[in-house]
Amino acid sequence: MKRRDFLIGASALGLASSSVAKAAVSPLQAPVAAPAGARIARVAIHPAIGFSRVGNSDAWFPAPEVPGLLDEPEGGFKDSEGRIKKQVQRFRLYGYDEEGRVVRELDASKGVRWSVHVANTKAAWYGFINALDQGPAAPGIPGTQRNPLVLADRRDDLLVIDPGIVEIGGISANAAGKDPACRMQGRFWNTLDVDLGHLRTDDNGRLLVFAANGISRTALPQNPVRDFTNNDGWHDDWCDGWVQARVEIDGASVPCEPAWIVCCGPKFAPQLEPIVTLYDAAREAMVELGHLKAPSDTVSFRRDVLPILRRAGTMQWVATSSFLGAAWNQIGDLSSPALIAKLARPHEEGRAMRQNVLQAFRRPGGEDQRAAAMPIMLGDGVNYPESQRTWLTLTPTQYRQLELWADGKFADDYEDAVADSVTRLDDLPLALRPEALTRAALDACSGGAFHPGVEITWPIRHAALYRGRDETKLPFRIKISDRPGLIQDLGLQLNATNVFAGNPAKPREGAPIGPQAPGDLTRWMGVPWQGDAFSCQAVLTASGFPTPVWWPALLPVDVLPETFYEHVMRTDLSDEERLRFYHARVPWARGAAGIGLHVEAGYTDGLRRMIELWTRMGVLVRRPGPKGLTGVPEVIYVETQRGSMDIAAPFPRR
């Protein structure tokens, strides 16, 4: 795409933002739109993989649609009664010509019928212990079937929550969300009705997928939660599956490429991105398949480098180890607009500074075992002391992008008033919009460590899950399984061999790392979801400090509470008093007994409590910093809307 096309396609000019919260978009190496009047040969649903998030409120907000822009909805991420709002994924239809160029977004108000098939198959899957794809560096530990006392001929009826295919179409269909025909509901243990969410359409006929309410229950009496991922007799209301559409243009049917939806847990730092995102993890598979190219000569600072630096810098708001990290990495505050502006210049005099930042990141491959290197986060090999996979690293593509940047081989596109004016998807040039939707959806999610993870886990990084170049020109398209049922029977255990090869006695079922059926992406995750989500905060190491963490951009560890922030903003206090509040951090999970470190005596008690308390946890949001207080940045991330941790306290429920 030419620079001129980008200028024309973007919205009206605005002043360049001084904040690092910029849209991660660039015309560099971008696709080209179809010429005017081009005929639509096929249609595709975007994003290719979308994410809706559970919440116990009827209120909702749209999932991110522009990479790098994570806006706070009106009233915050909770409603006025303290209930967590749902994140809702919107799906759009784009038409392509024979050359694979974008022609236009389709009007989905007529000639379109959406269909969705999601399922929850966690209880019928195998227990998670660790990732099974790390080889000798962190050998996969076999997992046995969950609910092993349920015999094979009863597992589908009792353990699979399958609403079947649900359809919708038209303008503002099911606007109130009450139409039973649009509800995705199944049963568990043949005794419990389980709501997995519902469908709506917006005023243009685009599909809206609503997740459920975050409810977890057991079908058995006297059956408390005992483990962080595997609890027999329990279910939750996560799900995933395919999204398809029947499309007619001028009365003729047009082939439409399907997408995938994942309904998962809330994000408690919704305006932060993980250092390694699901986009980064899945992109490695896209490079392997030839859908995307590995960086070779030039990268965009704004699209490729800024997100990595920005994410690393903002980790200080969710983990004390990152807040203090500047002391040993000596690279400054990577969330500082002034520092970012210096790092964004491809001048030779800045080479030493860029190289210093590069050296602060842990090199992928396993040999770099520096505890203080970034990210100060655990990796997939945490089950094995001194494993090469003990620490999280950037992906090879991310690290290569930083190498090219450090060497001065990058586009000088940080200060760009046109790109800064992008605040919504339609501000982007048409050719960039489909890609932006998929990246925005995946960039908001965790790409590691996968133990098992936050939204979905390690299979997402394998090429076998996706359609290859011989099947589609579009990346990130999950291959839909044609196996006869939703259950895959691998025998008595799931291990590092049959996870890739499948069960030779049942070849029609295929291998888990292969084409996917409804429920396949989320089945690896903890059941119920609350136990794993809140048990993994930080882990004490032999060296004692820095304390590595798991997924702080989604489940914070150490935060600046709203009360402290209010004191930081007070002008009647001395600078010294205000700075004391600014430098103080408190545990995000404070007051929830047993949550945090795995070694706490009340660990299992904490797992049980979080099934009730998850809706009361605070949400981290962006707030302006004080003016004129030296050492405090212009943007601060503050924990807000925190409820009482007293499990007996009254709290509004759905």
Side-chain angles (χ1 to χ4, degrees), residues 587-650:
W588 175 67
R590 63 196 182 280
I595 296 300
L597 302 175
H598 284 282
V599 297
E600 289 186 2
Y603 173 61
T604 54
D605 178 62
L607 299 182
R608 299 164 192 170
R609 286 171 60 86
M610 289 319 301
I611 294 173
E612 295 290 333
L613 294 178
W614 67 273
T615 62
R616 310 185 192 187
M617 303 301 289
V619 180
L620 214 70
V621 295
R622 193 163 50 230
R623 292 289 181 261
K627 295 182 179 180
L629 185 58
T630 302
V632 180
E634 64 182 48
V635 175
I636 295 178
Y637 288 81
V638 181
E639 180 202 47
T640 64
Q641 297 182 300
R642 189 174 191 267
S644 170
M645 291 296 110
D646 182 357
I647 201 167

Side-chain angles (χ1 to χ4, degrees), residues 2 23 45 57 64 388 494 598:
K2 297 180 180 179
I45 303 171
S57 174
Q388 289 187 339
L494 179 68
H598 284 282

Side-chain angles (χ1 to χ4, degrees), residues 142 234 262 312 325 332 378 542:
W234 279 82
V262 176
L378 295 160

